[in-house]
Amino acid sequence: MSELKRTAQCGSLRAANIGEEVVLSGWVNRRRDHGGLIFVDLRDRSGLVQVVFNQELSAEALKVAESIRGEFVLTIRGQVIGRVPEAVNPRMATGEVEVVCSEIEILNTARTPVFDSADGIHVDENVRLKHRYLDLRRPEMQQNMILRHRVTMAMRQFLDSRDFLEIETPMLTRSTPEGARDYLVPSRVNPGHFFALPQSPQIYKQMLMVSGMERYFQIARCFRDEDLRADRQPEFTQLDMEMSFVDREDVRRLIEELMQHVFLESLGRKLPDSFPIITYQDAMDRYGSDRPDLRFGMELVTIGDLMENTGFQVFSSVLQKGGQIKGINARGCAGYSRRDIDSLMEVTSTYGAKGLAWIAFTGEEIKSPIRKFLSEEEMEAIRQRLDAQDGDLLLFVADTPKVVAAALGALRIELAHRLDLIDPDELNFAWVVDFPLFEYDPAEKRYVAIHHMFTAPHPEDLELLDSDPLQVRAQAYDLILNGIELGGGSIRIHRSDLQQKVFDLVGLTREEAREKFGFMLDAFQFGAPPHGGVAFGLDRMIMLMRNRESIRDVIAFPKTQSASDLMMDAPGTVDDRQLQELFIRLNLPAAQKG
RNA sequence: GGCCCCGUGGUGUAGGGGUUAACACGUCGGCCUGUCACGCCGAAGAUCGUCGGUUCAAAUCCGAUCGGGGUCGCCA
């Protein structure tokens, strides 16, 4: 090993260190060779510092420095000196000083890097993922990992101070009905039987409550075998928590304090004392989303009641079928071209809207393809309802409530981006509460739990379980940040009879319920305390804190959209022996054989 | 499963039927004692993701396929 032992961090050197002798270790970020004088920007996790190799000071070190290249790994000894005023580099944190090298050791050479270890590079994600170890050398990516670490440390610190226990739950567990597709793991010693990787530690943490652990948390890896997105990976991390003897307010209050602590400790950001609460119904009505971005207005406004007697066929037929007509006011957009509006239409059609009606108040005239179908009075009523001023563009969707909400909700977000209505520095937290417990799945002709089957119904709505299950509100709460769902939770069912009732409602037969959840129904009969909890998507949270557009940037080794790891080349095939041991025979479609 | 975008030296891009496949960065060699995206001189490096088709001629047009990304469905 090297005889030179590191004594300082490159990025930490300042004018105060002038005169010190230091030993630095790191990577060659850049080399500038002037002949008898060579500058090397040496990089470690802390940052960069300029190292000088000088003919006069150490001809020997200079000679070695001539051979070094980008990304070589060095240890150098040298003296920190101040730069003359003209040579100060104000763009560098260490720009007031430099290190004059007296001794150098090359710890390792490096092949020509595939791409530069600098920020702001535009390299195909393909290439970045294949050489992830190089991508993670970039300061930007290092900062992502560092923040992630700080956040999880702050979480642990806070939860420990509030008497939570960090308890690990199994990764090898059992496939359960409902929810996402499971990742399966065959069991060698139980031929034909499979473990499932957990989609969340939900049931285990509830069992821990029955066990009297009272307060649990875990920074838990979760697995879901579904299609990926910018904010969805097949394995992801949740801060998972559960508490006994709490109600919704207790949970909300604790989470607010947790977030305040975490954002202050890791980002130095002070959050409001409490977060606003919006009901699910309100969120859907006003923003067309159960995770509304509240950083801007542009609320959805209904005009259905104004169109009850309209002669406009499209509107009247939608109303007859029980649909809705809603609109938003895109302020100042009356000048939008046909092409602009077409592109908005593309947004709404993605969500199933068959059309996008519009009215532009240009100031001189009212431009609209539906003007000829509407009476003067209707036009004026619409104008007043949406508070349309000269220069405004009104946009309408008429369809089922689901399509109207999805289409206009998405249009609202799209317009906010186009109109630059969003302050990128804002951190807008809000709670969404009073979700329905169930929705009806017409394809399967049964009720489906919106949150999950263990969510407790609102106590006021208990009788409705028998008469009108769709009207039952859940004791659930989602926390949203800037229009993205950070996490959610609920007060859980802790009584066996109520849990059985919910199983019945979602169409589980008594036999299935017994087979899959018998232990749970039993456990609830042995003194289960009332309990509730929450789970947060850690990846999404870090993504938002770092202003990234994909959680891949805050996960050290993420998967591609086709759920593969380009660096490891996983998943891979296994040899026949392994399959035989597991009693598994492949049955691949013809195209994939051989 | 559907729709959309992308694939050209190591990296980022240009080129849209006939080009010596262009440019920047990087790389290699030479020169250089105050640079910090160092500079100057010179050089190497690409059968244009893959397969097939159209054509006298394909990086370019068509089809398929593979890979990456976005999104709807799916997923909480």
Side-chain angles (χ1 to χ4, degrees), chain A residues 163-449:
Chain A
D163 292 330
F164 281 78
L165 301 177
E166 182 168 12
I167 300 174
E168 292 161 90
T169 54
M171 298 297 267
L172 294 175
T173 175
R174 162 176 196 146
S175 184
T176 53
E178 304 267 296
R181 201 173 284 120
D182 286 315
Y183 271 99
L184 297 178
V185 180
S187 166
R188 179 181 57 83
V189 293
N190 298 283
H193 287 62
F194 294 82
F195 293 106
L197 301 181
Q199 296 181 25
S200 86
Q202 180 63 34
I203 295 174
Y204 286 111
K205 69 176 173 179
Q206 289 193 244
M207 293 303 101
L208 288 172
M209 293 303 102
V210 178
S211 309
M213 294 297 168
E214 299 203 18
R215 296 187 151 210
Y216 142 95
F217 85 96
Q218 182 178 195
I219 294 175
R221 196 67 62 81
C222 305
F223 303 86
R224 289 175 191 161
D225 187 6
E226 296 291 345
D227 287 353
L228 287 80
R229 290 283 191 284
D231 62 354
R232 267 162 39 189
Q233 283 274 306
E235 56 179 308
F236 60 99
T237 305
Q238 289 196 332
L239 171 63
D240 192 51
M241 300 165 56
E242 198 76 5
M243 287 162 268
S244 294
F245 311 114
V246 290
D247 58 24
R248 290 195 292 174
E249 283 66 36
D250 296 327
V251 177
R252 277 205 306 267
R253 188 65 212 137
L254 185 102
I255 297 308
E256 285 171 1
E257 286 170 19
L258 168 73
M259 289 299 163
Q260 285 155 7
H261 178 83
V262 165
F263 275 73
L264 192 65
E265 291 297 310
S266 61
L267 279 186
R269 293 283 300 262
K270 197 170 170 355
L271 300 184
D273 289 338
S274 67
F275 306 154
I277 299 171
I278 180 171
T279 65
Y280 169 85
Q281 196 56 52
D282 218 17
M284 294 306 290
D285 287 347
R286 290 163 60 196
Y287 304 100
S289 168
D290 61 2
R291 45 179 178 83
D293 191 332
L294 303 174
R295 289 175 296 177
F296 60 97
M298 212 192 289
E299 295 188 14
L300 279 53
V301 176
T302 187
I303 59 163
D305 56 312
L306 305 177
M307 296 294 124
E308 271 161 9
N309 302 308
T310 188
F312 184 27
Q313 281 273 330
V314 174
F315 281 4
S316 58
S317 72
V318 163
L319 288 178
Q320 264 167 35
K321 283 183 254 169
Q324 292 180 337
I325 310 165
K326 291 175 114 175
I328 56 176
N329 184 345
R331 300 233 178 252
C333 294
Y336 266 28
S337 66
R338 183 73 225 185
R339 217 174 124 171
D340 293 327
I341 291 172
D342 279 350
S343 71
L344 296 179
M345 227 171 263
E346 247 171 71
V347 174
T348 52
S349 70
T350 307
Y351 295 86
K354 290 176 275 297
L356 181 67
W358 55 275
I359 305 173
F361 294 88
T362 66
E364 288 121 45
E365 54 171 343
I366 299 173
K367 281 204 297 197
S368 171
I370 63 168
R371 187 177 186 182
K372 53 183 175 288
F373 303 113
L374 300 177
S375 70
E376 290 280 319
E377 294 73 35
E378 286 169 337
M379 200 57 123
E380 183 52 29
I382 289 173
R383 177 179 192 136
Q384 282 183 21
R385 178 64 63 82
L386 279 105
D387 185 34
Q389 311 290 327
D390 286 349
D392 290 353
L393 173 68
L394 307 184
L395 298 149
F396 301 93
V397 173
D399 215 303
T400 60
K402 207 173 164 175
V403 169
V404 168
L408 282 181
L411 189 61
R412 179 177 168 268
I413 303 289
E414 171 66 23
L415 280 164
H417 283 111
R418 289 195 193 190
L419 299 172
D420 203 20
L421 298 181
I422 296 171
D423 172 3
D425 289 329
E426 189 176 343
L427 291 171
N428 191 308
F429 283 89
W431 292 103
V432 181
V433 301
D434 290 349
F435 282 77
L437 193 58
F438 301 109
E439 65 184 346
Y440 188 72
D441 183 343
E444 298 203 31
K445 293 187 179 152
R446 65 182 182 89
Y447 298 111
V448 181

Side-chain angles (χ1 to χ4, degrees), chain A residues 1-2 52 172 249 322 479 587:
Chain A
M1 269 307 282
S2 167
V52 188
L172 294 175
E249 283 66 36
L479 184 64
N587 180 20

Side-chain angles (χ1 to χ4, degrees), chain A residues 526-559:
Chain A
F526 286 98
H531 60 283
V534 68
F536 291 103
L538 182 72
D539 312 290
R540 284 183 187 178
M541 191 165 149
I542 309 295
M543 171 183 87
L544 288 168
M545 291 171 105
R546 290 284 297 162
N547 246 313
R548 309 303 311 171
E549 290 195 340
S550 165
I551 60 171
R552 291 189 299 275
D553 282 350
V554 300
I555 295 173
F557 300 101
K559 308 272 189 288

Side-chain angles (χ1 to χ4, degrees), chain A residues 380-587:
Chain A
E380 183 52 29
I382 289 173
R383 177 179 192 136
Q384 282 183 21
R385 178 64 63 82
L386 279 105
D387 185 34
Q389 311 290 327
D390 286 349
D392 290 353
L393 173 68
L394 307 184
L395 298 149
F396 301 93
V397 173
D399 215 303
T400 60
K402 207 173 164 175
V403 169
V404 168
L408 282 181
L411 189 61
R412 179 177 168 268
I413 303 289
E414 171 66 23
L415 280 164
H417 283 111
R418 289 195 193 190
L419 299 172
D420 203 20
L421 298 181
I422 296 171
D423 172 3
D425 289 329
E426 189 176 343
L427 291 171
N428 191 308
F429 283 89
W431 292 103
V432 181
V433 301
D434 290 349
F435 282 77
L437 193 58
F438 301 109
E439 65 184 346
Y440 188 72
D441 183 343
E444 298 203 31
K445 293 187 179 152
R446 65 182 182 89
Y447 298 111
V448 181
I450 286 186
H451 190 63
H452 54 54
M453 296 185 287
F454 316 113
T455 302
H458 200 289
E460 290 166 18
D461 298 346
L462 278 176
E463 306 82 58
L464 291 168
L465 278 175
D466 297 311
S467 55
D468 192 358
L470 291 178
Q471 292 305 312
V472 177
R473 288 167 299 166
Q475 291 196 64
Y477 31 80
D478 276 4
L479 184 64
I480 54 172
L481 171 55
N482 295 349
I484 292 184
E485 184 196 325
L486 265 195
S490 61
I491 299 302
R492 326 294 184 188
I493 296 169
H494 67 283
R495 275 183 17 225
S496 195
D497 56 341
L498 187 55
Q499 187 65 68
Q500 181 61 61
K501 190 165 209 165
V502 170
F503 287 155
D504 291 345
L505 274 163
V506 300
L508 271 187
T509 66
R510 291 285 166 126
E511 293 70 38
E512 284 171 321
R514 198 68 230 164
E515 195 216 325
K516 311 267 188 190
F517 299 113
F519 67 96
M520 190 175 211
L521 294 169
D522 288 346
F524 286 170
Q525 292 171 6
F526 286 98
H531 60 283
V534 68
F536 291 103
L538 182 72
D539 312 290
R540 284 183 187 178
M541 191 165 149
I542 309 295
M543 171 183 87
L544 288 168
M545 291 171 105
R546 290 284 297 162
N547 246 313
R548 309 303 311 171
E549 290 195 340
S550 165
I551 60 171
R552 291 189 299 275
D553 282 350
V554 300
I555 295 173
F557 300 101
K559 308 272 189 288
T560 67
Q561 198 165 78
S562 49
S564 58
D565 177 331
L566 294 181
M567 186 183 76
M568 297 279 282
D569 197 21
T573 54
V574 296
D575 58 48
D576 288 338
R577 245 193 77 161
Q578 289 174 288
L579 289 176
Q580 274 166 27
E581 280 182 336
L582 297 166
F583 305 96
I584 286 177
R585 194 182 303 140
L586 299 180
N587 180 20

